[in-house]
Amino acid sequence: MLNCREITQQASAYLDNRDEPERKPDLQFRLHLMLCRHCRRFIRQLHSARVLAAKVQSEQQRTEQGDQTLARLKRRN
Amino acid sequence: MPLSGGWIAVLQGNVLYRAATNHKGRFPPLSVPITPSSSDELLVSAAQQGNEAALVELINRHQTLLLAVARAIVGATHAEDTVQEAWLSVYRCLATFEGRSSFKTWVVRIVSNEAKTRLRRDSRLVSVDESEFEQPDTDTQNFNARGHWSNPPTRWSNESPDALLEEQQLQRCINKTLNVLPERQKAAFLLRDLEHQPLEDIAELLGISNANVRVLLHRARLTLMQVVNHYQETGQC
Ligand SMILES: [Zn+2]
């Protein structure tokens, strides 16, 4: 039986597997989550944090370096 | 240049038009100026016809990801040069791009290859910090000797990412943290949680094992979760 510390260590791997339906579900892991509300909360919060951070990052992905980069390319080509 | 969905891109002057292939001549072409919302496919096909504004937009849109991937492989000092070199290859080979993968996938791969080539040429480029690949210590203070919670996670006022996104100060805290994440963690995070790439592809791109990608991702996400935790407790970063 996995303990809570092990659950937190494998939490990211669990989230990544959960995203890919063809991977088989980790029964031991899910059994623990059914029985342990602290670990359920941990997983929910880890998931929320990564989705939140991805949204924050996506708003600043865009740069304005295109003109400058292209100018350098044309000088070298 | 045919596009998906029965559209062709038509370039007139500096404006890219989109015309339906099945209604050719019957309706006036739908004008699609190059904007941040133009699709990559449209921009690529315009760039292939020599439209510079389209290429500029492609660079603006993908530069951050490319720099992150380059930094993860050759380190911050040489990342810009690496990406510049990759864009030069793109510039020269754009005509040969057939769209079998997405443009983004193609260009990320070019950056990864360019970075790995540099690394092979000069192995001193990256100071090898293997400690980043060790499993992060889960604080001993959070668990008792049997590995059960002694200090369980506390409630957040709201766990929905969209609700959390409303908090301006929290956004600033997350931003700050993202900007100081170690290079490899940042790249792994971007490729996985933003770009949703398979772990195996990320490992290949960054030149590390699947297990190490998992460790990087876990470290990055734990750090981000701690930022939210701290914000929930204090209202500050
Ligand atoms: Zn538990």
Side-chain angles (χ1 to χ4, degrees), chain B residues 159-177:
Chain B
E159 281 175 355
S160 130
D162 284 321
L164 291 169
L165 197 62
E166 304 274 296
E167 313 253 2
Q168 299 289 319
Q169 178 62 17
L170 176 58
Q171 252 196 65
R172 278 192 285 273
C173 301
I174 295 277
N175 245 328
K176 241 171 143 177
T177 305

Side-chain angles (χ1 to χ4, degrees), chain B residues 139-185:
Chain B
D139 322 351
T140 41
Q141 53 188 6
N142 283 341
F143 299 96
N144 66 23
R146 297 207 322 280
H148 292 168
W149 289 102
S150 54
N151 193 5
T154 51
R155 245 187 108 251
W156 290 355
S157 58
N158 199 321
E159 281 175 355
S160 130
D162 284 321
L164 291 169
L165 197 62
E166 304 274 296
E167 313 253 2
Q168 299 289 319
Q169 178 62 17
L170 176 58
Q171 252 196 65
R172 278 192 285 273
C173 301
I174 295 277
N175 245 328
K176 241 171 143 177
T177 305
L178 285 168
N179 288 334
V180 297
L181 272 187
E183 323 285 11
R184 288 187 285 212
Q185 287 183 40

Side-chain angles (χ1 to χ4, degrees), chain B residues 225-237:
Chain B
M225 183 172 70
Q226 278 155 12
V227 172
V228 185
N229 265 328
H230 188 73
Y231 174 79
Q232 293 284 330
E233 281 166 24
T234 64
Q236 292 168 347
C237 298

Side-chain angles (χ1 to χ4, degrees), chain A residues 21-74:
Chain A
E22 73 273 18
R23 299 196 196 232
K24 64 173 195 268
D26 188 332
L27 293 178
Q28 265 208 65
F29 200 100
R30 281 164 55 166
L31 181 63
H32 183 112
L33 289 190
M34 275 168 64
L35 301 172
C36 178
R37 67 192 170 91
H38 296 321
C39 285
R40 279 203 301 278
R41 174 176 283 169
F42 182 90
I43 295 281
R44 279 201 313 272
Q45 293 181 344
L46 189 67
H47 172 70
S48 271
R50 76 168 176 160
V51 175
L52 170 67
K55 284 174 190 278
V56 171
Q57 177 66 39
S58 73
E59 283 171 19
Q60 51 159 4
Q61 277 296 85
R62 212 188 143 70
T63 65
E64 297 300 332
Q65 296 176 23
D67 283 312
Q68 198 194 346
T69 303
L70 180 62
R72 274 196 258 158
L73 291 182
K74 285 161 80 175

Side-chain angles (χ1 to χ4, degrees), chain B residues 48-202:
Chain B
Q48 283 175 330
Q49 294 172 57
N51 185 310
E52 292 188 348
L55 186 56
V56 166
E57 173 59 24
L58 285 167
I59 298 171
N60 284 341
R61 179 175 294 199
H62 298 302
Q63 186 78 344
T64 303
L65 178 65
L66 301 183
L67 281 171
V69 170
R71 283 193 198 107
I73 302 171
V74 293
T77 326
H78 300 276
E80 293 232 7
D81 281 354
T82 305
V83 172
Q84 183 74 27
E85 208 57 39
W87 280 120
L88 190 63
S89 308
V90 169
Y91 189 63
R92 286 174 179 163
C93 309
L94 197 57
T96 68
F97 175 69
E98 292 173 337
R100 253 173 286 166
S101 64
S102 74
F103 177 76
K104 191 191 284 188
T105 303
W106 185 60
V107 69
V108 167
R109 193 153 295 281
I110 292 175
V111 166
S112 156
N113 289 339
E114 173 66 29
K116 286 176 189 164
T117 305
R118 282 183 181 225
L119 198 60
R120 269 194 299 273
R121 271 205 310 258
D122 188 353
S123 56
R124 292 165 305 173
L125 278 186
V126 155
S127 58
V128 190
D129 178 11
E130 295 296 328
S131 69
E132 219 186 327
F133 295 139
E134 287 159 19
Q135 268 294 336
D137 289 334
T138 328
D139 322 351
T140 41
Q141 53 188 6
N142 283 341
F143 299 96
N144 66 23
R146 297 207 322 280
H148 292 168
W149 289 102
S150 54
N151 193 5
T154 51
R155 245 187 108 251
W156 290 355
S157 58
N158 199 321
E159 281 175 355
S160 130
D162 284 321
L164 291 169
L165 197 62
E166 304 274 296
E167 313 253 2
Q168 299 289 319
Q169 178 62 17
L170 176 58
Q171 252 196 65
R172 278 192 285 273
C173 301
I174 295 277
N175 245 328
K176 241 171 143 177
T177 305
L178 285 168
N179 288 334
V180 297
L181 272 187
E183 323 285 11
R184 288 187 285 212
Q185 287 183 40
K186 176 83 179 274
F189 169 76
L190 288 185
L191 288 166
R192 180 63 193 173
D193 288 340
L194 207 61
E195 305 296 341
H196 307 290
Q197 294 299 304
L199 288 173
E200 295 75 15
D201 292 6
I202 299 173

